[in-house]
Every structure is written in C-alpha cells, then in structure tokens.
Amino acid sequence: MSILIAPSILAADFGTLNTEVEMLNVSDADYIHIDIMDGVFVPNISFGFPVIESIKKLSSKPLDFHLMIQNPDLYIDQCVESGAAIISVHYEACPHLHRTIQSIQQKGVKAGVVLNPHTPVSVLEDVIDMLDLVLIMSVNPGFGGQKFIENTYQKVAKLQQMAIKNPDLLIEVDGGVNLQNAKQLIESGANMLVAGSAIFASKNPLNTINEFKSV
Ligand code: DX5
Ligand code: ZN
C-alpha cells in the first residue's frame, strides 16, 4: 500500500479556496488536513468553522482535523458536524486524554493524538491500543513553512515499535515534510504524511502530490 498523503489547506491561497479544493479533489491526495489554531495553545490563529464548512461543501476528500487548541473537548461535536473523518487532539492539551479519545470514537470518527517535538512517544504506552492515529509533529505547531526537526525519524521508529500492539495504527508526520525527507520518514515507519508548503508552493501541486504518493 502506498502512503497516505494529506495536503495541509493552511498553505493554500484562501482567495481562491474553491480552485484549491477542486485541485485536491482531482489529485491523488487521500485527505485534506485542516489545521485549527486558537491563538492560545499555539501563538497563531488559523481559521474557524465557517471556513471549514465551505471546505467541507467543496471537498470530495475526507477531512483530517488537527486541533491546536486548548479544551478540544468543547469542540468535538462541531468538528464532527463539520465533516471530520479524523480528529486529532494534542497530548499536551488533554488532561483526560483517554476520555477525549473515547468521546471522539463514540461519534464514529477516527481519533488521533498529536505529540509536540518535546513529548516522547512513551507517554502513549497505555492508550496506544485504542488509538486510530498518532501524529508526530516535526516542527513546533503554529505555522506552516518551518524547518523539519531531524529527531523525528527516531521518534517515528520508536512509535512503530510500540505499535506492534496496534498494527492498523496510522503514523502521521506533520511539519516541514517534503519530497527529500519523505522516503526516510516512510522507512522509519510513517504511513501518512502531511505537507503544506511542499505542495502548495510547488510549481505543479498535482504532480507533487503524485510524487509523494510514489516515493
Ligand atoms: C503546523 C501545522 C502543519 C502545517 C504544515 O502547525 O500543523 O500542518 O500546516 O505545513 P508545512 O508542510 O509547510 O510545514
Ligand atoms: Zn497540522
């Protein structure tokens, strides 16, 4: 199976959002990655539910939600109503992570946990068997277009070892992912990649998505 690719809409041109989503619709992308930032958990604000509703209406691809917000529990229902196929919450924002995961899955949506660069994968030891996805941040969350953190490879490899208990686990990497580091990420154990600027700032985003799929 080729890896799953989730272009991050954050890097798209919001002035021509419909054209951007239509491009993704005809591409080989598997998901559209939706970055939600609240200006509190991360030092940036992205977009809110009205914009996400527009993306949902335009998109024929499933939506992969990445919640970079405090108190994500308050917004799970709204994310489900806005068409989320996957909802990922930050480990660092969830004091009752087990309950949060359960409440996402009870809505019939896949649940993921995101780890910031400083958070070791070992913190997930006691929940790994119930997770649909783990998202390893390869930059500090908050902004697109940052430099990839090299330590990510060994983190992904450790996670893959832990995932022996959960062979269907999606191992997603987000931040600074490009055609140069994708191969090593996949060899380390990643099976789902997010890419923002590597896709939308490229000359031909459709070709770039295609190249990611055939790495
Ligand atoms: C960072 C976001 C990423 C970002 C990826 O906070 O979570 O999804 O949009 O963009 P690139 O690929 O440009 O690093
Ligand atoms: Zn993201």
Side-chain angles (χ1 to χ4, degrees):
M1 188 186 88
S2 70
I3 53 125
L4 300 172
I5 179 84
S8 169
I9 201 75
L10 188 68
D13 180 349
F14 279 77
T16 55
L17 193 56
N18 54 343
T19 317
E20 300 281 48
V21 176
E22 277 156 21
M23 179 278 289
L24 295 176
N25 285 345
V26 298
S27 77
D28 291 335
D30 299 280
Y31 288 88
I32 299 182
H33 185 78
I34 307 283
D35 285 309
I36 307 177
M37 304 176 186
D38 65 355
V40 180
F41 181 68
V42 288
N44 197 9
I45 296 175
S46 56
F47 44 74
F49 288 105
V51 174
I52 299 167
E53 286 290 334
S54 302
I55 296 169
K56 176 196 162 194
K57 278 190 200 123
L58 294 164
S59 173
S60 59
K61 303 281 181 181
L63 305 182
D64 170 36
F65 279 45
H66 175 192
L67 303 189
M68 285 163 273
I69 62 176
Q70 295 284 32
N71 296 320
D73 301 82
L74 299 178
Y75 298 97
I76 287 166
D77 284 344
Q78 220 173 333
C79 290
V80 174
E81 283 158 26
S82 301
I86 303 172
I87 299 174
S88 295
V89 294
H90 269 261
Y91 168 81
E92 300 83 4
C94 294
H96 304 289
L97 187 64
H98 186 280
R99 182 189 294 151
T100 304
I101 296 160
Q102 277 186 326
S103 74
I104 295 170
Q105 290 172 333
Q106 277 161 7
K107 314 274 180 209
V109 171
K110 284 191 163 80
V113 176
V114 194
L115 301 180
N116 272 340
H118 72 278
T119 306
V121 294
S122 56
V123 298
L124 297 179
E125 212 169 271
D126 291 312
V127 286
I128 191 128
D129 51 347
M130 71 189 288
L131 295 177
D132 297 296
L133 181 149
V134 176
L135 170 48
I136 305 277
M137 286 311 297
S138 39
V139 298
N140 285 294
F143 303 91
Q146 300 183 79
K147 192 173 174 297
F148 179 83
I149 297 171
E150 299 282 323
N151 182 50
T152 308
Y153 300 119
Q154 59 106 2
K155 229 169 139 172
V156 169
K158 263 191 208 164
L159 178 63
Q160 197 195 30
Q161 282 300 311
M162 279 170 65
I164 289 170
K165 288 180 184 174
N166 181 355
D168 296 329
L169 185 74
L170 290 170
I171 299 179
E172 184 176 25
V173 178
D174 182 11
V177 173
N178 55 39
L179 286 167
Q180 287 69 54
N181 54 30
K183 188 163 186 282
Q184 198 175 342
L185 283 170
I186 296 162
E187 284 168 357
S188 305
N191 48 28
M192 180 164 175
L193 299 177
V194 176
S197 38
I199 289 173
F200 288 97
S202 71
K203 281 206 181 96
N204 187 331
L206 274 179
N207 274 353
T208 308
I209 293 169
N210 202 271
E211 283 177 61
F212 268 111
K213 288 295 287 184
S214 39
V215 163

